[in-house]
Amino acid sequence: MSSFQRVRYVFQGLMMLLCVAVLLLTPEKGYRVIGYILSVVLAVGGLRALLYYFTMARHMVGGKIILFRGIIALDLGMFAAALADIPPIYVLLYLLIVNLFSGAVDVMHAREARKLGAPWRLLLASGLAGILMAVACAFCLRSPTILSYVYSAGLLSSACLRFAQAFRKTAIVYIS
């Protein structure tokens, strides 16, 4: 992992901690702020993937996957921005589904990494934390305040995992 990637992971962890603070200080209105942040992050990530596709990835093997990921992320970001004026239960359901999907993808990546002999435990922990947080949110859908607390706990665990990934030693491969 390069030093820029480490700085990026630390920055992402700090932003997650900031979101946790917003949710804990204003649990009844914090979901709107998190919805806006989520929509901006998804839209910027989608635009970045599309820019990468049009500048470089269209000439690569598997470049169309980057195009599809960019389109889907941009679409999800715009959808999250459109959820600003509807009741909070729908925003919270959207966050629940996104976290459940993200956790399932992390678990599948961990299984694949384990088969390949790569480090997989941290990725599995991240995926299971996302799935457990989504399941806990499913039981609290009637109370947005409790749901904000559960979601902030999930964000806190994700932030801790980002910090762990940023500061863990990586193997350097030398080719001679």
Side-chain angles (χ1 to χ4, degrees):
M1 178 180 295
S2 69
S3 56
F4 177 73
Q5 288 172 327
R6 290 183 193 277
V7 169
R8 190 180 76 193
Y9 273 37
V10 169
F11 180 72
Q12 288 173 349
L14 289 174
M15 297 309 322
M16 286 180 186
L17 288 178
L18 180 68
C19 291
V20 167
V22 167
L23 279 173
L24 290 178
L25 293 176
T26 58
E28 54 279 337
K29 296 290 181 183
Y31 69 90
R32 287 197 191 273
V33 174
I34 300 304
Y36 289 132
I37 291 171
L38 181 66
S39 67
V40 168
V41 167
L42 284 170
V44 168
L47 287 174
R48 202 176 95 212
L50 289 174
L51 180 68
Y52 178 64
Y53 172 76
F54 288 117
T55 57
M56 187 181 297
R58 65 182 169 169
H59 304 294
M60 296 171 27
V61 174
K64 284 187 182 178
I65 293 174
I66 295 170
L67 173 68
F68 297 144
R69 284 183 185 170
I71 291 171
I72 290 171
L74 183 63
D75 187 40
L76 287 174
M78 290 189 299
F79 179 68
L83 290 177
D85 297 331
I86 63 172
I89 190 75
Y90 296 115
V91 175
L92 298 173
L93 276 172
Y94 177 69
L95 289 173
L96 182 139
I97 290 169
V98 166
N99 282 312
L100 184 66
F101 181 73
S102 174
V105 168
D106 283 347
V107 168
M108 287 188 282
H109 280 208
R111 287 187 61 215
E112 184 178 346
R114 184 175 180 199
K115 286 180 186 177
L116 297 174
W120 56 275
R121 288 183 178 93
L122 196 58
L123 194 57
L124 181 66
S126 171
L128 290 177
I131 290 172
L132 288 175
M133 195 247 338
V135 169
C137 285
F139 290 113
C140 304
L141 281 177
R142 296 285 180 216
S143 172
T145 304
I146 294 173
L147 195 54
S148 292
Y149 290 138
V150 171
Y151 188 71
S152 65
L155 274 178
L156 183 64
S157 71
S158 295
C160 291
L161 287 171
R162 287 283 180 187
F163 289 133
Q165 287 176 340
F167 295 118
R168 116 178 130 187
K169 293 199 179 277
T170 55
I172 298 174
V173 178
Y174 292 103
I175 300 173
S176 55

